[in-house]
């Protein structure tokens, strides 16, 4: 019996190795709790690129030989910075696909309003304006490529957001945009329905017609200029 115990007795070196691994695991776990898992293992894809989202409405405005795209999207409940990341990602995806002069992305809660007349104030969880080449668009000398703001509180059951409104500084927005691993747009439920043989075609036609009504009609640009001094001013004031 003693001979068998002597055979299976672990060496002192092996014991030290096992104890060291156990201690290292415990320290790493404690560090993850204190520092945060994302800072040790790296940010998750969701944190880096924002959430998946769904299209609510798309408006294309052509004015003064410029193209302005405003897109309303909705996401599942999340924090304000993630909503901003989502909007920035979608804005870059829209620009890459269509190359407009100005892109505005408005983020709504999943339970938020869908009619444009109701999308204003605290119904807007985040709002991003992206102007890739601001000089030809902006009439102001204070040209900004990005503007981003959000409510730092969560949305209530009716889709309205609470908390303080935060306006991000330009350098922070630029850093966020540069951190993306990829640029992807939202899911278009109308296109999905159309591919499944639903009534997506008719709904998309109605949606396109509604978008046309948002922009100035031919011959009516002078009146439109009086109501909207510039695309940028209108974008920044939309819904606020």
């Amino acid at each position: 019996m003693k001979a068998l115990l002597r055979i299976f007795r672990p060496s002192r070196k092996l014991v030290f190795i096992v104890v060291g691994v156990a201690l290292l695991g415990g320290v790493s776990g404690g560090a993850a709790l204190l520092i945060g898992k994302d800072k040790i293992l790296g940010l998750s894809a969701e944190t880096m690129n924002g959430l998946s989202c769904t299209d609510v409405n798309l408006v294309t405005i052509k004015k003064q030989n410029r193209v302005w795209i405003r897109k309303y999207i909705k996401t599942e409940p999340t924090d304000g910075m993630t909503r901003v990341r989502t909007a920035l990602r979608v804005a870059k995806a829209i620009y890459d696909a269509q190359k407009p002069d100005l892109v505005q992305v408005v983020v709504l809660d999943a339970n938020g309003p869908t009619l444009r007349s109701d999308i204003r104030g605290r119904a807007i969880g985040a709002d991003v304006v992206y102007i890739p080449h601001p000089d030809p668009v902006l009439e102001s000398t204070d040209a900004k490529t990005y503007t981003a703001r959000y409510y730092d509180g969560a949305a209530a059951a009716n889709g309205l957001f609470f908390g303080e409104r935060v306006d991000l500084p330009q350098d922070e927005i630029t850093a966020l945009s540069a951190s993306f691993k990829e640029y992807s747009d939202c899911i278009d439920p109308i296109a999905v329905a159309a591919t499944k043989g639903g009534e997506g075609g008719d709904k998309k036609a109605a949606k396109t017609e509604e978008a046309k009504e948002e922009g100035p009609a031919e011959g009516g640009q002078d009146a439109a200029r009086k109501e909207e001094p510039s695309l940028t001013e209108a974008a920044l004031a939309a819904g606020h």
Side-chain angles (χ1 to χ4, degrees):
M1 187 65 179
K2 290 182 179 180
L4 290 175
L5 290 175
R6 190 177 298 110
I7 293 174
F8 291 103
R9 180 182 297 172
S11 66
R12 183 175 298 178
K13 184 177 180 181
L14 179 61
V15 171
F16 282 136
I17 292 174
V18 172
V19 172
V21 170
L23 288 175
L24 181 60
V27 171
S28 299
L33 291 175
L34 292 173
I35 301 174
K37 181 181 66 175
D38 289 342
K39 292 184 179 179
I40 293 178
L41 301 179
L43 295 174
S44 64
E46 178 178 300
T47 304
M48 289 292 294
N49 296 326
L51 294 176
S52 60
C53 51
T54 304
D55 287 353
V56 175
N57 206 331
L58 177 69
V59 178
T60 301
I61 300 174
K62 295 183 178 180
K63 180 183 175 184
Q64 302 173 12
N65 297 321
R66 299 166 186 160
V67 179
W68 170 22
I69 294 179
R70 181 195 296 168
K71 190 168 195 176
Y72 300 93
I73 66 174
K74 63 181 179 180
T75 68
E76 293 300 321
T78 186
D79 60 277
M81 283 300 296
T82 303
R83 291 192 294 269
V84 168
R85 287 180 184 274
T86 304
L88 281 171
R89 185 200 75 219
V90 172
K92 292 298 292 288
I94 292 173
Y95 176 75
D96 289 345
Q98 303 186 46
K99 298 295 189 295
D101 296 290
L102 183 150
V103 183
Q104 182 180 17
V105 179
V106 178
V107 183
L108 312 170
D109 184 68
N111 297 322
T114 56
L115 296 176
R116 288 207 304 272
S117 59
D118 297 329
I119 300 175
R120 61 180 184 273
R122 290 192 173 273
I124 299 175
D127 180 13
V128 165
V129 176
Y130 173 48
I131 307 173
H133 307 290
D135 291 340
V137 178
L138 284 174
E139 298 172 1
S140 170
T141 56
D142 185 20
K144 292 183 178 180
T145 302
Y146 296 103
T147 302
R149 47 196 177 188
Y150 66 93
Y151 283 111
D152 63 356
N158 60 358
L160 299 182
F161 292 88
F162 293 92
E164 182 181 357
R165 200 187 85 174
V166 179
D167 293 85
L168 290 176
Q170 188 75 189
D171 56 349
E172 186 172 349
I173 305 171
T174 303
L176 285 174
S177 181
S179 69
F180 293 130
K181 299 299 183 183
E182 61 180 12
Y183 302 118
S184 59
D185 207 338
C186 298
I187 299 171
D188 185 351
I190 295 176
V192 172
T195 58
K196 293 181 179 179
E199 298 179 355
D202 295 337
K203 291 181 180 178
K204 190 166 187 177
K207 182 178 178 181
T208 303
E209 188 65 30
E210 183 182 12
K212 288 180 180 178
E213 294 174 359
E214 182 77 10
E218 292 185 7
Q221 290 187 353
D222 291 338
R225 289 193 191 100
K226 293 180 181 179
E227 295 179 0
E228 295 184 74
S230 70
L231 287 177
T232 306
E233 291 176 5
L236 296 177
H240 294 275

